[in-house]
Amino acid sequence: MSTSQRPAARGSGRAARDQAEAVIVDQYTRLIRLAYLTLPHDLGRHRRVLVAHALVQRALPGFRVGRATPRVPEQRRGIPDPAAAHVRARVLRSALAHDRRPRGWPGFLPPPRTLLPMLPVVWGLRLFPRAGGEEVALGQALSDASAPARAAFVLLQLEGLPRSEVVELLTAAGAPRPEQALRTACDMGAAKGAAAQALLRSREFDACSVQTRPTDLLRRRRRYHLTWSAIGIIALGCAALLTGVVGGPVGKPSRSADARPAIAPEELLRTPRDAWADTSRVDFTAWPARGARTDDDALIRRALGVWTDPPSGTRVGVAKATSAEPPVGGTQLLYAGDVGRVAVVLFHDGRRVVRYTEPAASAGAASLDISRSDEADVTTAAALVVSRSAGKLRYLTAPWIAEAQTRDLLTPNSPGRPLDVSDEGVTDAVGEPSDAGACDSLPALQLRSSGRIVEKHAFLVADLGGITPAHLSYTPLPGTGAPARQPREATSDAALRSWARTACRLPELRQSGVRSVNQWDFAEQELPERGGRAVWSCTRASTWRGPGSVLVQFRTSAEPATAPAKVAGRAHSTAACSRFGQHVVASTSWTAGSGRHYLLAAGSREVDGIEVTGDVDETDEGRTLAVNAPRSPDVTVRARLTDGERLDEVGRRPVR
């Protein structure tokens, strides 16, 4: 019987490949969209387009997509065709595993899958989907979420799969924490409402209908000439060796400090000075060109030249997940002038802010810093660090800033101190936050917007080592029966008192590309043995590139007003404590005045029950729990939400 079945098995394999090929041809656009939206956003749009096409084309049986072919869950309500389900599972597994590093893989190397050559390959062109409108906000939200959450969002909204099948499919594709990914996807769907499906089907996420533009032509030309020069040098060296003629040492060709810039100074955009007061887009595009040297073409040309091709000896700082590509058409001049002993030029190209500095009166090395600035707003585009020297820094404020003050976050009861600002928007020197040693002062900048764009709007920003300071916000404790509260400016008394207990953690975020930091007081709790009142907070740092990290903290009323709060949990690259992760539960150990040890736990407003297992077994109704426990118990804490869903503790491995 086995002998007679062998030809059928081979025929069955050919039939399976034929069916899979038919599925890929018939559903190519849908599969491409699934892969494109699931792949890491750090790849950039051009690379994601190519990788998405490669993964779908490699989904035919016979291509290796992972350690094992994914087991496709049984189809109950989804696509009845098993070949279609199988191809979709292979595409999903490949997209989720694209940037995964195997155990022991060196951290300084890119993931192994990114090193393998894959078709299609494009030379000399950049591919990207057509730009959208409202889709940009959805794209930013997707970049904030994990890859499994993005996949779950697409499967729910576009494929129309039931939640149970989404979890099964993610599990079969090797996704970690599929239930958490599903919750995040549901939160995103609730936030976007009925428009989510239409937005996902828009041209912004269609990697099959793309625009093209050339790569940097000047750089290609230089590389072309450099390549042929190198070939010539190698040929001469080989000839010299073969003939026994030994000449002097051949040095490496060095880049010229006067490299020809990709664009000329006269091609830069210059916004009129009063444009900010008559536009609905209040961001860096509304900044006029300011400074005493905006007409100094030689300085601006040097800055553009260094940006185009930094010469040897230039200090170059590029923020994480930020492109260092040369300037392109549409680049805007923000500032050119002398600040102290250095000449400074600032540019903005719609996606990045670039700062060039050189010694103003002596020869010396220049420096170039590049940071992301996409989707900046009235607060995140309110100031730039224009100079940094000897523990002091100066800001260039936005044209809509009517007043600037400095305040110490560790003295919440002290008023802000007025800060002088020049006619060009440059502030006096202020102290730079220390990233080491004792935390005895944490300066922040308090700015007030002009009444011409918004009334009575003051907000805080803090320097975290980059070009753009981070916007500080605050979400107060939930009110009884009130809807979920939204982040607001951290200028109220309650906000300043809360930030005073967290400020000393800000230096940990330096040089990490942080866009904003929100302090969310999500729960309060009466401590056992009349120990006073405790407040639980979640501090979320969101980066310009998308991912965010959270720090869950616990502070009591018995401690000094500026004592750093106790850290109860940490998590990285998470949607927790954001609009797509609005539920949180955390725990910590606490010792009463009597010396008794307790385990405390608390959850956000939608939590209606907490369960503890391990060294302590306890279940309690409500949003808080307090139970006698060993000094450092080994426990697992989970919460039950009002809709019946289960929630794992922040910073802990999920329970299966």
Side-chain angles (χ1 to χ4, degrees):
M1 182 179 295
S2 61
T3 303
S4 64
Q5 288 178 344
R6 285 175 186 170
R10 289 194 294 269
S12 176
R14 286 194 297 270
R17 286 192 293 272
D18 291 343
Q19 291 175 359
E21 182 179 10
V23 168
I24 291 176
V25 172
D26 184 53
Q27 301 183 16
Y28 192 74
T29 301
R30 290 171 58 184
L31 294 170
I32 290 293
R33 198 181 297 262
L34 172 63
Y36 180 78
L37 289 167
T38 303
L39 285 167
H41 282 55
D42 289 349
L43 290 176
R45 293 189 295 173
H46 170 78
R47 185 63 181 159
R48 271 199 297 156
V49 167
L50 295 179
V51 173
H53 283 269
L55 296 184
V56 173
Q57 293 172 16
R58 291 171 61 89
L60 278 174
F63 279 108
R64 180 184 175 91
V65 300
R67 294 182 179 179
T69 299
R71 179 188 65 81
V72 180
E74 181 183 356
Q75 299 295 302
R76 292 185 292 273
R77 295 173 49 201
I79 299 175
D81 183 0
H86 187 74
V87 169
R88 182 173 57 199
R90 288 173 66 91
V91 170
L92 183 60
R93 183 180 184 90
S94 299
L96 291 173
H98 182 74
D99 64 343
R100 192 175 298 161
R101 288 178 169 85
R103 183 175 299 176
W105 187 261
F108 61 88
L109 291 178
R113 293 179 188 274
T114 64
L115 301 176
L116 299 176
M118 290 191 298
L119 297 176
V121 176
V122 175
W123 293 88
L125 287 176
R126 305 290 295 177
L127 309 180
F128 53 95
R130 295 177 180 273
E134 298 179 7
E135 298 88 348
V136 175
L138 177 59
Q140 181 65 36
L142 289 171
S143 70
D144 290 340
S146 63
R150 293 194 296 269
F153 186 67
V154 177
L155 294 173
L156 287 172
Q157 299 294 334
L158 287 186
E159 301 295 333
L161 295 185
R163 296 186 181 187
S164 59
E165 291 188 19
V166 171
V167 172
E168 291 181 8
L169 185 54
L170 290 176
T171 303
R177 300 183 290 277
E179 293 89 354
Q180 181 178 338
L182 178 64
R183 285 197 298 270
T184 302
C186 291
D187 289 341
M188 286 194 291
K192 294 301 176 183
Q197 293 186 17
L199 291 175
L200 284 177
R201 290 190 174 94
S202 67
R203 60 183 185 178
E204 174 77 11
F205 306 116
D206 184 2
C208 290
S209 177
V210 297
Q211 292 180 309
T212 63
R213 71 178 182 187
T215 55
D216 180 29
L217 300 177
L218 291 175
R219 177 169 288 190
R220 281 169 53 187
R221 183 179 180 182
R222 283 193 299 272
R223 287 176 176 172
Y224 175 83
H225 290 303
L226 183 61
T227 299
W228 281 107
S229 298
I231 292 174
I233 292 173
I234 293 173
L236 289 175
C238 292
L241 290 175
L242 290 174
T243 58
V245 178
V246 181
V250 179
K252 293 196 317 182
S254 61
R255 290 174 292 185
S256 170
D258 296 321
R260 181 181 177 182
I263 60 176
E266 57 270 17
E267 297 179 74
L268 294 172
L269 299 181
R270 300 176 185 236
T271 302
R273 281 197 170 252
D274 292 330
W276 61 270
D278 192 26
T279 179
S280 60
R281 184 176 176 180
V282 185
D283 57 14
F284 287 114
T285 61
W287 280 42
R290 291 175 290 175
R293 301 181 68 175
T294 53
D295 294 328
D296 189 340
D297 286 353
L299 170 64
I300 297 173
R301 183 174 286 104
R302 286 196 301 274
L304 290 170
V306 170
W307 183 5
T308 300
D309 192 10
S312 177
T314 303
R315 188 197 65 79
V316 179
V318 182
K320 292 182 179 179
T322 302
S323 170
E325 65 183 14
V328 295
T331 297
Q332 177 185 356
L333 178 64
L334 301 182
Y335 182 85
D338 294 335
V339 181
R341 298 181 178 179
V342 297
V344 181
V345 184
L346 292 171
F347 303 104
H348 174 248
D349 69 352
R351 298 176 296 117
R352 301 168 296 170
V353 170
V354 178
R355 181 181 63 201
Y356 167 83
T357 62
E358 66 178 25
S362 62
S367 66
L368 185 74
D369 294 281
I370 307 175
S371 176
R372 285 182 62 166
S373 62
D374 42 318
E375 297 187 46
D377 56 24
V378 67
T379 57
T380 51
L384 293 173
V385 176
V386 70
S387 72
R388 191 187 302 271
S389 176
K392 299 286 186 179
L393 55 85
R394 295 175 187 266
Y395 293 97
L396 177 66
T397 59
W400 58 83
I401 296 302
E403 182 182 68
Q405 296 181 339
T406 60
R407 68 178 315 133
D408 187 352
L409 293 179
L410 297 185
T411 57
N413 297 324
S414 299
R417 297 182 298 276
L419 180 64
D420 288 338
V421 181
S422 72
D423 293 339
E424 297 295 337
V426 178
T427 69
D428 282 353
V430 298
E432 182 178 7
S434 174
D435 55 0
C439 181
D440 52 11
S441 176
L442 210 300
L445 196 64
Q446 180 168 314
L447 303 173
R448 181 175 62 82
S449 300
S450 169
R452 296 173 67 181
I453 59 170
V454 60
E455 293 183 0
K456 299 179 180 179
H457 178 228
F459 54 95
L460 294 181
V461 295
D463 171 58
L464 294 180
I467 304 176
T468 55
H471 176 216
L472 307 183
S473 57
Y474 172 68
T475 305
L477 286 164
T480 304
R485 298 192 174 184
Q486 300 299 316
R488 57 200 65 186
E489 302 305 346
T491 53
S492 66
D493 292 342
L496 293 172
R497 287 194 298 269
S498 181
W499 265 108
R501 303 293 301 273
T502 302
C504 287
R505 302 287 178 186
L506 284 176
E508 300 175 9
L509 303 173
R510 291 180 65 83
Q511 302 294 345
S512 55
V514 172
R515 170 195 181 115
S516 60
V517 187
N518 182 55
Q519 172 84 346
W520 174 29
D521 288 344
F522 66 85
E524 58 182 339
Q525 181 177 20
E526 294 297 327
L527 297 173
E529 302 184 21
R530 298 182 178 180
R533 177 174 168 269
V535 175
W536 297 78
S537 63
C538 183
T539 307
R540 177 178 176 83
S542 299
T543 62
W544 287 98
R545 63 187 184 278
S549 61
V550 299
L551 192 68
V552 178
Q553 299 176 90
F554 169 85
R555 65 184 191 269
T556 69
S557 57
E559 297 165 335
T562 59
K566 179 181 179 180
V567 176
R570 296 176 184 266
H572 299 280
S573 297
T574 177
C577 305
S578 73
R579 57 177 175 166
F580 301 119
Q582 300 180 16
H583 313 308
V584 61
V585 64
S587 68
T588 189
S589 57
W590 178 78
T591 303
S594 64
R596 294 190 184 92
H597 304 298
Y598 290 85
L599 175 72
L600 306 178
S604 52
R605 63 189 303 273
E606 291 294 324
V607 169
D608 66 1
I610 298 177
E611 177 187 23
V612 181
T613 57
D615 291 347
V616 177
D617 288 299
E618 184 75 15
T619 301
D620 204 353
E621 301 296 323
R623 297 173 51 223
T624 61
L625 177 145
V627 60
N628 288 112
R631 175 184 288 271
S632 299
D634 184 9
V635 295
T636 297
V637 177
R638 300 192 80 196
R640 182 184 67 249
L641 302 178
T642 54
D643 61 2
E645 292 286 335
R646 297 287 176 172
L647 180 67
D648 295 304
E649 183 177 5
V650 173
R652 301 293 177 88
R653 178 172 295 178
V655 178
R656 296 289 186 221

